[in-house]
Amino acid sequence: MMKIQQISVFLENRKGQLAEITHLLAENGVDLRAISIAETTDYGLARMIVDDSAKASSILLEQGNILSLNPVWVIRVPDRPAGLSELLMQLADNDVDIEYMYSLFAHKGEYAYMVIQTSNEEALNKALDGSDFKVIGMEELGLK
């Protein structure tokens, strides 16, 4: 199954930190395709899908940011009422534990795209096999 590289950047809990990171990427021509922010009392975590993860990682590391690259799956979901619910029910019925999930900015035609992280790739494959839900690769999303 095709995986996409996600960049997870650790953020200080201070005003403007996220703005600085997104501005740095924009200045260098990196296009954000998705972002999810999680916060604790001590730090924040920005999970991002970008059009060029190698370039973005290099730029962020050069500026002293702490980050990791993690493989995730992007699943095409019908963009209609119950589309996401049907996917989640199918995953639950096949014992797929979703560690976290967020959506891509882009929609194409009648589809939306969900970024999913799970530690059980085998169960994910089983859950999606023969279904209308499709894992999307980098090329289809215009990623490098």
Side-chain angles (χ1 to χ4, degrees):
M1 215 187 267
M2 300 165 277
K3 296 178 187 175
I4 304 292
Q5 286 298 317
Q6 168 190 268
I7 300 172
S8 298
V9 182
F10 292 91
L11 305 171
E12 298 173 39
N13 271 350
R14 67 172 170 81
K15 182 179 174 182
Q17 176 71 33
L18 186 58
E20 291 170 16
I21 298 238
T22 57
H23 181 72
L24 179 63
L25 294 175
E27 266 186 334
N28 288 278
V30 175
D31 188 18
L32 276 173
R33 301 296 175 87
I35 189 165
S36 171
I37 309 299
E39 180 186 12
T40 69
T41 54
D42 299 326
Y43 65 91
L45 180 66
R47 293 182 174 115
M48 299 181 282
I49 304 292
V50 298
D51 66 339
D52 189 336
S53 59
K55 180 179 179 181
S57 297
S58 176
I59 291 163
L60 292 167
L61 287 169
E62 284 173 13
Q63 296 299 313
N65 291 284
I66 299 170
L67 61 86
S68 63
L69 289 169
N70 312 98
V72 293
W73 292 268
V74 176
I75 300 176
R76 185 182 74 188
V77 179
D79 188 13
R80 58 173 167 70
L84 179 58
S85 174
E86 290 167 5
L87 169 64
L88 295 175
M89 291 300 294
Q90 188 160 332
L91 296 179
D93 289 347
N94 285 276
D95 297 320
V96 176
D97 180 31
I98 297 172
E99 295 169 14
Y100 58 83
M101 176 180 76
Y102 56 97
S103 66
L104 283 175
F105 298 149
H107 289 222
K108 291 186 181 179
E110 58 195 53
Y111 297 103
Y113 299 92
M114 298 305 297
V115 178
I116 291 182
Q117 174 62 306
T118 180
S119 58
N120 194 340
E121 186 174 356
E122 184 179 323
L124 182 63
N125 283 324
K126 180 183 172 195
L128 299 178
D129 188 40
S131 76
D132 292 336
F133 303 106
K134 180 180 176 189
V135 173
I136 304 299
M138 292 176 60
E139 186 175 307
E140 226 173 310
L141 293 169
L143 307 177
K144 297 176 188 172

